[in-house]
Amino acid sequence: MDNHMERLRTAYQDIPVPEELDRIVDQAIKKSSHSSRHRRVKYTWAAGACAAVILFLAAINASPAVANALSAIPGVDRIIKVLTLKEYVVDDPGGYHANIKVPAVTNLDNKPLEQGLNEKYMKENKALYDKFQAEIEALKKQVGGHLGVDVGYEVKTDNNEILSIERYVDESMGSTSEELKLDTIDKKNQILISLPMLFKDDRYVQLISENIMEQMKQQMMADDNKFYWVSGAADVLPTDEFQAIHKDQSFYINNDGKLVIVFNKYEVAPGYMGAVEFVVPTGVISDDLVSRKYIK
C-alpha cells in the first residue's frame, strides 16, 4: 500500500498540470468568444463557483495519471461523480433556443468504462448540437419558425452499490418530443448493468409487461386524468395497444433496490402524459432473477 501511494504521489508530481489547464482555459476562451451577427452562441462550463471545478474535471479527464493520483487523496471521491463537462447554449432572438449539457462520469476504477461512457455522452450531445444548427439554417432558408432543444441529465440513484444516470432530450418544433436514456452502473464491480443480465431467461419480458399493464389499468381507474394505450381502454385501436416491453427497455434501479421501467413520451400514452415510469414489485420477478444482488 505504501509503495502504491508513493507511485501515485510521484505520478501526480510529474504531471504538468499548469500547461494542461492553460490549454483548456485557452480553448474555452476562444470558443466562448465565437459569435455571429444574428446568433449568440455561448460555450460555458458551469455557473459561478462551479467553473473551477469543471476545469479541474477537464484536467482529470485529459490525464489518467492525474485522476489516479487525485483518487488517493481523502475526500476527492466524494466530489467526483457525475459533473457537467461542457454546455452548449444558443439564444437566438429569432426564436431558436438550445441548452445542451454534457455529463461526465469520474473516479471509476474501470477507466475503459469511464472513458467509453464519457465519449458516448460527448458524441451524442455534439451530434444533437450539430443537428440543431443544421435545422436552424434550413428554417431560415424557408419561412422561419421556432425551434428549441433542452438536453441534460439527472442522477436517479447514487448509493454505495448503484449509480443510475438519466439523460433527457426535449425538443420542440410545432410539437414536442421527449427521449430518455439511462445507464446503471454497479459501483463495486465497476460494470454497466443491462436489463437482460438481471434475469435467467427471456421470461422477464412477459412478467414485467403483464404487471405494467395491470398498473396502467389501476392508475386509470384511480385517476381520470391518466390514460394509457392499454387493452380495454376506450378509443384505443388494437394496433396502438401496449403489448410488451423491449428486451432492452430503458430502466434504472432506485434507492430502494426496485426495478423501474421507463417509457419515452408517446411510447405507451398520449403526449400530455409525458415520459412515464413504473416500479415493478420484486415479488413479480423474483423467481426469474439471476440473484437478489441488485433487485431487493
Side-chain angles (χ1 to χ4, degrees), residues 8 11-12 15 56-57 59-73 76 80 106-109 111 114:
L8 291 174
Y12 174 65
I15 295 300
F56 173 70
L57 169 61
I60 292 171
N61 284 345
S63 175
V66 172
N68 290 334
L70 289 171
S71 66
I73 301 174
V76 171
I80 303 177
T106 69
N107 208 41
L108 287 177
D109 293 330
K111 291 306 173 185
E114 178 180 298

